[in-house]
């Protein structure tokens, strides 16, 4: 019997898990999710690694001991531990990568959030991560800050696959697509095989509703109340409209005709924050061919259990999505301010998680050195 996750994949949506830990790899849980939940990729970020390494799992203790004996710093240990996890996960997904001709079977690893506003350092670390993991089926995650745009171009131009993260606005998404196409043009000029370079553009969804709904509550009118929990899905649908338009241009077609891949839209932050909303909202309302939905495990299990997949829920809904934004502007929501705030907060939260991860690993190294 077909499951909702299988139905979702049949509609052209790739399911990626938004979580990684060594325990998932060594216990076979990750392989099981591939087999039973149609998971075809995985994404990580500093928050996820902070949770995994700080959980007290014994899966990391042996490596921490070795690194402590070697005199590794916290940053050196994080680099070794996280790239080992990503490499092992990439090996688990390798058959998916091979079966999909490189489209799926992808594992993402993020450059340090401390570098989000430093173009040159981001490029350097992206190349370092790519070389260290040494697997063709990874994505290096680069945030879509202004400084990140040039880094995206240079990294793609060096033949490295990229997951562009923390996209909130259509304006920034258009700049991300431009950066990707410029990167493909650089790669082509340098003689790279364009077919081996892949990218996704991670458009965040639930965080948009959280911030917009807070502003709608403050406005306090009946009209404002009627717009709650509509902005996130509408914004993502308009992103897909932009994706269709930009990859139909002569510039994009010249690159895809030369073997280049489109940069697939990825729906991120798809766990529902408001308990009053359906727990599969950001899955069932964003079904469109050639997309990725990266889900927390709770959302994945909810989709598998009771998700109702009713075909494409995006491409026929553009007019309604534009209307939502006209109405938001009409009640006084400054969406440009919303998206800039969300980008700033997103970088800040990842930096905080990164520093928590550094502190956790530093403490673990010190404990191992003292024999505790």
């Amino acid at each position: 019997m077909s499951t909702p996750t299988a139905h979702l994949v049949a509609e052209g949506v790739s399911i990626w898990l938004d979580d990684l830990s060594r325990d998932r790899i060594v216990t076979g849980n990750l392989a099981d999710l591939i087999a039973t939940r149609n998971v075809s990729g995985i994404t990580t970020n500093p928050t996820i690694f902070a949770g995994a390494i700080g959980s007290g799992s014994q899966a990391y203790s042996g490596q921490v001991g070795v690194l402590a004996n070697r005199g590794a710093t916290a940053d050196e240990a994080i680099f070794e531990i996280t790239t080992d996890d990503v490499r092992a996960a990439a090996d688990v997904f390798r058959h998916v990568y091979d079966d999909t001709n490189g489209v799926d079977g992808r594992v993402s690893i993020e450059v340090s959030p401390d570098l989000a506003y430093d173009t040159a350092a981001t490029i350097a670390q992206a190349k370092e991560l790519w070389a260290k993991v040494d697997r063709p089926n990874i994505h290096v995650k680069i945030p879509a800050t202004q400084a990140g745009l040039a880094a995206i171009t240079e990294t793609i131009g060096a033949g490295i696959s990229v997951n562009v993260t923390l996209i909130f606005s259509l304006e920034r998404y258009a700049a991300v697509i431009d950066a990707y196409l410029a990167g493909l043009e650089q790669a082509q000029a340098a003689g790279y095989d364009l077919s081996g370079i892949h990218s996704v553009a991670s458009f965040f969804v639930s965080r948009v509703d959280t911030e917009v709904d807070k502003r709608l509550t403050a406005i306090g009118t009946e009209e404002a109340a009627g717009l709650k929990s509509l902005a996130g899905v509408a914004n993502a649908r308009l992103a897909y409209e932009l994706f269709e338009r930009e990859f139909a241009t002569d510039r994009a077609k010249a690159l895809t005709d030369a073997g280049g891949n489109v940069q697939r839209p990825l729906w991120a932050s798809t766990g529902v924050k408001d308990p009053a909303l359906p727990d599969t909202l950001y899955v069932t309302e964003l079904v469109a061919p050639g997309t990725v939905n990266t889900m927390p495990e709770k959302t994945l299990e909810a989709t598998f259990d009771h998700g109702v997949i009713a075909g494409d829920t995006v491409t026929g809904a553009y007019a309604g999505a534009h209307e939502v934004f006209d109405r938001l502007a009409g009640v006084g929501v400054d969406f440009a301010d919303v998206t800039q705030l969300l980008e700033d907060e997103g970088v800040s939260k990842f930096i905080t998680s990164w520093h928590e991860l550094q502190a956790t690993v530093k403490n673990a190294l010190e404990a191992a050195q003292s024999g505790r």
Side-chain angles (χ1 to χ4, degrees):
M1 186 172 67
S2 179
T3 64
T5 53
H7 191 177
L8 190 62
V9 171
E11 292 292 340
V13 180
S14 295
I15 300 170
W16 291 3
L17 180 69
D18 190 29
D19 189 58
L20 179 62
S21 68
R22 192 162 295 181
D23 282 321
R24 283 196 187 276
I25 298 166
V26 300
T27 62
N29 169 264
L30 188 54
D32 184 61
L33 291 174
I34 295 170
T36 66
R37 300 294 189 268
N38 305 95
V39 171
S40 61
I42 199 160
T43 52
T44 68
N45 59 46
T47 304
I48 287 169
F49 276 127
I53 298 170
S55 67
S57 167
Q58 292 303 302
Y60 295 102
S61 58
Q63 187 174 19
V64 169
V66 170
L67 291 164
N69 290 335
R70 193 189 302 168
T73 65
D75 282 356
E76 289 167 345
I78 290 168
F79 186 76
E80 293 295 328
I81 291 167
T82 58
T83 53
D84 279 1
D85 277 3
V86 167
R87 185 184 305 107
D91 289 344
V92 174
F93 278 106
R94 182 56 189 256
H95 70 284
V96 179
Y97 169 83
D98 291 336
D99 290 346
T100 61
N101 197 29
V103 174
D104 281 316
R106 295 277 171 174
V107 184
S108 294
I109 183 168
E110 189 157 352
V111 297
S112 166
D114 281 334
L115 308 179
Y117 303 111
D118 187 331
T119 300
T122 295
I123 296 166
Q125 191 172 91
K127 291 179 178 179
E128 188 179 17
L129 288 168
W130 181 260
K132 178 68 174 177
V133 177
D134 193 26
R135 295 293 186 270
N137 55 320
I138 72 161
H139 278 132
V140 177
K141 286 179 83 171
I142 297 175
T145 57
Q146 281 290 354
L149 294 172
I152 292 158
T153 295
E154 292 297 320
T155 304
I156 291 288
I160 296 171
S161 295
V162 173
N163 175 343
V164 183
T165 189
L166 286 178
I167 308 173
F168 295 97
S169 73
L170 296 179
E171 292 76 17
R172 186 57 56 81
Y173 181 37
V176 166
I177 294 173
D178 178 70
Y180 172 65
L181 295 176
L184 286 185
E185 288 162 348
Q186 284 190 15
Q188 185 179 40
Y192 285 99
D193 176 4
L194 298 188
S195 67
I197 304 171
H198 288 258
S199 183
V200 291
S202 297
F203 219 84
F204 281 54
V205 187
S206 67
R207 295 188 194 186
V208 170
D209 275 340
T210 300
E211 180 59 29
V212 169
D213 288 1
K214 184 167 66 177
R215 298 184 185 210
L216 291 170
T217 298
I219 291 167
T221 64
E222 185 175 336
E223 185 179 6
L227 286 165
K228 285 188 176 180
S229 305
L230 298 180
V233 167
N235 197 39
R237 286 171 172 169
L238 295 183
Y240 194 82
E241 181 185 39
L242 180 64
F243 158 75
E244 288 191 310
R245 184 168 66 244
E246 292 301 314
F247 281 95
T249 62
D250 290 342
R251 180 191 186 192
K253 284 182 176 178
L255 290 163
T256 55
D257 287 348
N261 299 290
V262 299
Q263 181 186 53
R264 290 189 294 167
L266 179 152
W267 313 130
S269 183
T270 57
V272 172
K273 305 288 193 294
D274 182 348
L277 297 174
D279 54 5
T280 61
L281 176 72
Y282 302 123
V283 177
T284 60
E285 296 304 304
L286 293 174
V287 178
T291 59
V292 179
N293 194 306
T294 181
M295 310 177 194
E297 188 170 23
K298 184 177 179 181
T299 303
L300 172 65
E301 290 301 326
T303 301
F304 179 80
D305 179 66
H306 54 262
V308 178
I309 311 303
D312 182 342
T313 51
V314 173
T315 60
Y318 297 150
H322 282 287
E323 182 187 351
V324 166
F325 277 91
D326 288 342
R327 291 170 60 199
L328 285 170
V331 298
V333 173
D334 183 347
F335 198 69
D337 183 68
V338 168
T339 56
Q340 187 59 57
L341 174 70
L342 289 172
E343 179 186 307
D344 293 342
E345 284 185 347
V347 172
S348 178
K349 286 175 181 177
F350 280 162
I351 289 173
T352 297
S353 293
W354 185 257
H355 292 168
E356 289 171 355
L357 175 58
Q358 288 173 317
T360 297
V361 172
K362 182 174 182 287
N363 290 338
L365 290 168
E366 290 174 350
Q369 285 171 334
S370 65
R372 284 184 275 135

